[in-house]
Amino acid sequence: MFTKLKYAATTAAIAASALALAACGGGGTTQGAAPAQELQFGLSADVPKLQPHLDQGAAAMMLDSVLHRGLLGYNAKGEITTALAEKYEQTDPTTYKFTLHKGLKFHDGSPLTSAEVKTSFEDLANPKSAAKIVSVTQGIQSIETPDAETVIIKLKSPNAAFLSYIADTTAAVLPSAAFTAGGESWVGAGPFKLVSHDKGVSFVVEKFDGYYNAGSVKLNKIDFPIYTDGQARTNALLAGDVDLIDFVPWEEFDRVKSDSNITLDAQSGPFMYLNFNVTKGPFADAKVREAVALAVNRENVVSAALSGNGTPIQGVPVPETSPFYNKSLANGWEQNAAKAKSLLAEAGYPDGFTAKMLSTSQYAFHKDTALSVQSDLAAVGIKLDLDLPDWATRVSKGNAGDYDIAVSGSAGVVNDPSFLSKFVTGPAEHTRSFGYNNATINDLLAQGVAETDEAKRKAIYDKLSETILTDAPFVSLAGRAQAYAYQKSVTGFSNIPGFLTFNSGYTLTETSIVSP
């Protein structure tokens, strides 16, 4: 039987607690106005052109989370919370009613009403927009806006993960101009507004007083100096030049943990994998892709690229903690060089071939993963020439299909097996194999997300995993520990668990700096 669910925001207690901490640094009872709260956040990459609906990587999602907001969001535990929607309810298995906060506006002062929500969701559902969550938004049947504060979204069929998807930072409600050809959006409705961007150097944002929950935001300003080099980023934190950094390099974990003034906040969830251009050449053949999956030594990837801070993944990356995990399918890509050579011979490449591998020099773990895989594939006859541009170029080349095989690192959009849709279906996008489409896989994904009986859903996802193991739309390599690190004076920031780590910027609304 269907049960109606209702949710509402509850932030007052958290706000009161954090304000008390900010006013009582050092155990004293300081009276009067608290000093301005300014955070120095060492960011791992520049984002020359912010397009929040796309998957542009971790640095972009951090900026999305401070500049933008969607109907929903996540709290520090990874639980769905309200955001632009003051409340919502599921009125039947396919219908969701959202009630917006009154008086919402964008940073430029323009109003944000149900009309802007509708426009954003229509664009998020348009395949041409290449939105990160398009596989879910295309399931929207209709959007009604009976008044300025009410949005009713009706789906074509039930989707057990719909609310989780629209809580992602990339589901932000944007001004309509953001979705035009070549559009970008630095103007949002989030807790902070952009005041400067010195390309390649820094971003500076300041608290937006028009934010619907501005009273709970502790920080007045965040300066994001850009440190593309991992060691330099770590050094800046340890020297006290910054308060917080993202992407702590795995080889720096021990050094960071040894400093009593620093907190290393690591979560498992993201994973490394390979994707392919399947529109031409050897990788258009599933046997060749499966051969790659069987040729790789994943222990070497964990050791060489992640300094041991990871776990080999020899099958579809469904975590062991998931109710949909199947141990019998978890090692379907266990290393087997002999079988890999046999598959290559069956595909017409008994002597191997030469191909171009795309990775990036900007993140050492991406480059080191490429070097590890290059060695393994050479052993079965596949010779790879490495292409290692900066991150922004790597993304653009991936989107354009300018590669044969590529190293990727990402996470599911949600902590649910439906996350696999991001990696196997949708318009061209750098995190999935270029040109890949499999009707059977697409149908199984649709069946799985619409099924409410858990046992039947598990059977569907088992069949999906079996299909992926033989068709190899991507090749899992290793799960990785993803870490932020920050001074002990930083309180309230949290690395959200699992695949949601890249949404951790949401917790900056609860972050403050306390006296030592």
Side-chain angles (χ1 to χ4, degrees):
M1 180 179 291
F2 178 77
T3 303
K4 183 183 289 188
L5 302 175
K6 295 188 178 183
Y7 302 77
T10 57
T11 59
I14 295 173
S17 174
L19 282 171
L21 284 171
C24 300
T29 55
T30 304
Q31 301 297 316
Q37 292 272 306
E38 297 185 5
L39 182 78
Q40 294 288 320
F41 190 134
L43 197 62
S44 59
D46 192 11
V47 185
K49 183 177 181 179
L50 189 66
Q51 296 177 287
H53 61 293
L54 302 180
D55 185 348
Q56 295 182 292
M61 288 186 71
M62 182 57 64
L63 295 173
D64 290 342
S65 68
V66 297
L67 297 176
H68 298 284
R69 275 297 178 275
L71 293 174
L72 305 175
Y74 286 109
N75 65 16
K77 295 180 180 179
E79 299 165 337
I80 295 172
T81 64
T82 54
L84 297 179
E86 182 179 33
K87 61 181 179 180
Y88 65 95
E89 60 180 312
Q90 187 175 0
T91 58
D92 64 46
T94 60
T95 306
Y96 299 83
K97 179 181 178 182
F98 300 88
T99 303
L100 304 181
H101 290 276
K102 292 185 181 296
L104 292 173
K105 57 184 176 180
F106 292 109
H107 297 157
D108 61 4
S110 59
L112 191 166
T113 68
S114 59
E116 285 68 44
V117 175
K118 180 177 181 179
T119 299
S120 283
F121 271 90
E122 288 173 344
D123 284 315
L124 287 168
N126 184 347
K128 293 182 179 179
S129 74
K132 180 179 174 182
I133 64 169
V134 69
S135 64
V136 170
T137 49
Q138 281 188 302
I140 295 174
Q141 178 174 302
S142 64
I143 304 173
E144 299 176 13
T145 55
D147 57 56
E149 279 86 40
T150 305
V151 180
I152 300 172
I153 298 178
K154 187 169 184 62
L155 307 181
K156 298 172 185 176
S157 60
N159 187 319
F162 176 69
L163 294 176
S164 297
Y165 274 91
I166 67 171
D168 191 70
T169 62
T170 59
V173 175
L174 306 175
S176 57
F179 290 101
T180 58
E184 56 187 294
S185 184
W186 301 99
V187 174
F192 298 90
K193 61 182 179 181
L194 184 71
V195 294
S196 69
H197 175 202
D198 188 354
K199 290 189 176 181
V201 178
S202 70
F203 298 91
V204 178
V205 301
E206 292 181 351
K207 181 178 177 179
F208 175 46
D209 290 335
Y211 179 59
Y212 69 87
N213 200 19
S216 71
V217 179
K218 322 304 181 303
L219 297 172
N220 302 97
K221 178 181 178 182
I222 308 176
D223 187 352
F224 291 96
I226 298 165
Y227 294 87
T228 58
D229 179 80
Q231 187 176 45
R233 192 163 60 253
T234 304
N235 288 341
L237 177 71
L238 296 177
D241 296 333
V242 297
D243 302 301
L244 189 159
I245 63 172
D246 69 339
F247 265 107
V248 181
W250 291 269
E251 64 273 15
E252 299 284 8
F253 273 27
D254 289 342
R255 188 159 72 105
V256 171
K257 285 191 288 188
S258 68
D259 191 320
S260 61
N261 295 314
I262 304 294
T263 297
L264 180 74
D265 190 350
Q267 294 281 356
S268 61
F271 58 95
M272 302 301 294
Y273 62 100
L274 304 173
N275 49 337
F276 309 92
N277 184 335
V278 303
T279 64
K280 60 181 180 179
F283 297 115
D285 191 322
K287 290 182 179 179
V288 175
R289 301 194 298 270
E290 186 181 359
V292 169
L294 296 170
V296 178
N297 185 326
R298 290 161 175 83
E299 293 283 358
N300 284 349
V301 172
V302 172
S303 176
L306 306 177
S307 297
N309 294 291
T311 306
I313 302 177
Q314 300 185 135
V316 180
V318 177
E320 289 187 43
T321 54
S322 170
F324 303 100
Y325 176 78
N326 186 326
K327 187 176 181 179
S328 67
L329 298 173
N331 297 311
W333 287 331
E334 186 175 4
Q335 188 181 22
N336 187 333
K339 185 175 180 181
K341 289 180 180 179
S342 176
L343 285 167
L344 288 174
E346 290 178 28
Y349 302 99
D351 300 319
F353 55 87
T354 299
K356 180 172 72 173
M357 170 177 267
L358 177 64
S359 186
T360 177
S361 59
Q362 185 164 328
Y363 292 107
F365 67 98
H366 274 261
K367 179 180 177 180
D368 291 341
T369 297
L371 291 170
S372 181
V373 171
Q374 182 187 43
S375 176
D376 292 336
L377 295 192
V380 298
I382 301 175
K383 299 175 179 62
L384 298 177
D385 297 323
L386 300 188
D387 183 12
L388 303 170
D390 61 39
W391 178 249
T393 304
R394 185 262 176 266
V395 169
S396 63
K397 285 191 170 190
N399 289 339
D402 186 9
Y403 65 94
D404 297 314
I405 182 173
V407 171
S408 289
S410 189
V413 183
V414 297
N415 288 334
D416 178 276
S418 63
F419 79 84
L420 289 164
S421 62
K422 173 182 183 294
F423 300 94
V424 298
T425 188
E429 206 268 328
H430 72 97
T431 62
R432 70 174 63 95
S433 289
F434 187 79
Y436 183 82
N437 186 53
N438 182 311
T440 298
I441 286 177
N442 295 345
D443 184 55
L444 287 169
L445 280 165
Q447 290 180 42
V449 81
E451 180 57 63
T452 56
D453 181 276
E454 187 168 304
K456 292 180 180 179
R457 199 170 180 220
K458 188 177 188 306
I460 293 169
Y461 283 133
D462 282 350
K463 188 174 181 180
L464 173 65
S465 290
E466 291 170 357
T467 306
I468 289 175
L469 287 174
T470 56
D471 207 49
F474 60 87
V475 170
S476 310
L477 298 176
R480 68 187 200 221
Q482 190 76 23
Y484 296 88
Y486 39 88
Q487 307 289 342
K488 294 290 187 184
S489 57
V490 174
T491 183
F493 181 84
S494 184
N495 190 354
I496 301 179
F499 289 155
L500 304 181
T501 180
F502 298 124
N503 283 280
S504 296
Y506 279 141
T507 68
L508 286 169
T509 58
E510 299 167 18
T511 300
S512 62
I513 301 174
V514 298
S515 301

Coordinates of all heavy atoms in Angstrom, one line a residue, residues 8 19 33 118 120 125 151 203 220 269 279 343 375 393 405 416 420 437 486 492 504:
A8 N 9.9 18.4 6.0 CA 10.0 19.9 6.2 C 11.4 20.1 6.8 O 12.0 19.3 7.4 CB 9.0 20.4 7.2
L19 N 26.2 28.8 16.1 CA 26.4 30.2 16.5 C 27.0 30.3 17.9 O 27.8 31.1 18.2 CB 25.0 30.9 16.5 CG 24.5 31.3 15.1 CD1 23.1 31.9 15.2 CD2 25.4 32.4 14.5
A33 N 29.3 41.4 19.3 CA 29.2 40.8 17.9 C 30.4 39.9 17.6 O 31.6 40.2 18.0 CB 29.2 42.0 16.9
K118 N 10.0 25.3 -13.3 CA 9.5 24.5 -14.4 C 10.5 24.6 -15.6 O 10.9 23.6 -16.2 CB 8.2 25.0 -14.8 CG 7.6 24.3 -16.0 CD 6.2 24.8 -16.4 CE 5.6 24.0 -17.6 NZ 4.3 24.4 -17.9
S120 N 13.7 25.3 -15.6 CA 14.9 24.5 -15.3 C 14.7 23.0 -15.5 O 15.6 22.3 -16.1 CB 15.4 24.8 -13.8 OG 16.0 26.0 -13.7
A125 N 15.6 18.0 -18.6 CA 15.1 16.9 -19.2 C 15.4 16.8 -20.7 O 15.2 15.8 -21.4 CB 13.6 16.8 -19.0
V151 N 4.8 23.7 -7.2 CA 5.3 22.9 -8.4 C 4.8 21.5 -8.2 O 5.1 20.8 -7.2 CB 6.8 23.0 -8.5 CG1 7.3 22.2 -9.8 CG2 7.3 24.4 -8.6
F203 N 38.6 32.1 -6.7 CA 37.2 32.6 -6.6 C 37.0 33.2 -5.3 O 37.5 32.7 -4.3 CB 36.2 31.4 -6.8 CG 36.3 30.6 -8.1 CD1 37.2 29.5 -8.2 CD2 35.6 31.0 -9.2 CE1 37.2 28.8 -9.4 CE2 35.6 30.3 -10.4 CZ 36.5 29.2 -10.5
N220 N 30.8 34.7 6.4 CA 30.5 35.9 5.6 C 31.1 35.9 4.2 O 30.7 36.5 3.3 CB 31.0 37.1 6.4 CG 30.4 37.3 7.7 OD1 31.0 36.9 8.7 ND2 29.2 37.8 7.8
G269 N 33.8 5.8 -1.6 CA 32.6 6.0 -2.4 C 33.0 6.1 -3.9 O 32.6 5.3 -4.7
T279 N 32.6 4.2 -31.0 CA 32.1 4.5 -32.4 C 33.0 4.1 -33.5 O 32.6 4.1 -34.7 CB 31.8 6.1 -32.5 OG1 33.1 6.8 -32.4 CG2 30.8 6.5 -31.5
L343 N 40.2 -13.5 -26.1 CA 39.2 -12.6 -26.5 C 39.7 -11.7 -27.6 O 39.0 -11.4 -28.6 CB 38.6 -11.8 -25.4 CG 37.7 -12.6 -24.4 CD1 37.4 -11.7 -23.1 CD2 36.3 -12.9 -25.1
S375 N 50.8 -0.4 -18.6 CA 51.7 -1.5 -18.5 C 50.9 -2.9 -18.6 O 51.4 -3.8 -19.2 CB 52.4 -1.4 -17.1 OG 53.2 -2.6 -16.9
T393 N 40.9 20.5 -20.3 CA 41.0 20.0 -21.6 C 40.6 18.5 -21.7 O 40.0 18.0 -22.6 CB 42.5 20.1 -22.1 OG1 42.8 21.5 -22.0 CG2 42.6 19.6 -23.5
I405 N 40.5 5.2 -25.5 CA 40.2 4.6 -24.2 C 40.6 5.7 -23.2 O 41.5 6.5 -23.5 CB 41.0 3.3 -23.9 CG1 40.7 2.8 -22.5 CG2 42.5 3.5 -24.1 CD1 41.3 1.4 -22.3
D416 N 22.3 4.4 -4.8 CA 21.3 3.4 -5.2 C 21.7 2.9 -6.6 O 22.4 3.6 -7.4 CB 19.9 4.2 -5.4 CG 18.8 3.3 -5.9 OD1 18.7 3.1 -7.2 OD2 18.1 2.8 -5.1
L420 N 23.9 3.6 -12.0 CA 24.6 3.1 -13.2 C 24.2 3.7 -14.5 O 24.9 3.7 -15.4 CB 24.4 1.6 -13.2 CG 25.2 0.8 -12.1 CD1 24.6 -0.7 -12.0 CD2 26.6 0.8 -12.4
N437 N 25.5 2.7 -26.4 CA 24.1 2.6 -26.1 C 23.7 1.1 -26.2 O 24.2 0.4 -27.2 CB 23.3 3.3 -27.2 CG 21.8 3.3 -26.9 OD1 21.4 3.7 -25.8 ND2 21.0 2.9 -27.8
Y486 N 41.0 19.8 7.1 CA 40.8 21.2 7.6 C 41.4 21.4 9.0 O 41.6 20.5 9.7 CB 39.3 21.5 7.6 CG 38.4 20.4 8.0 CD1 38.0 20.2 9.3 CD2 37.8 19.5 7.1 CE1 37.2 19.2 9.7 CE2 36.9 18.5 7.4 CZ 36.6 18.4 8.8 OH 35.8 17.4 9.2
G492 N 31.7 22.2 11.7 CA 30.4 22.2 10.9 C 30.6 21.6 9.5 O 29.6 21.1 8.9
S504 N 29.4 17.6 -0.7 CA 29.8 18.0 0.7 C 29.8 19.5 0.8 O 29.7 20.0 2.0 CB 31.2 17.5 1.0 OG 31.1 16.1 1.1

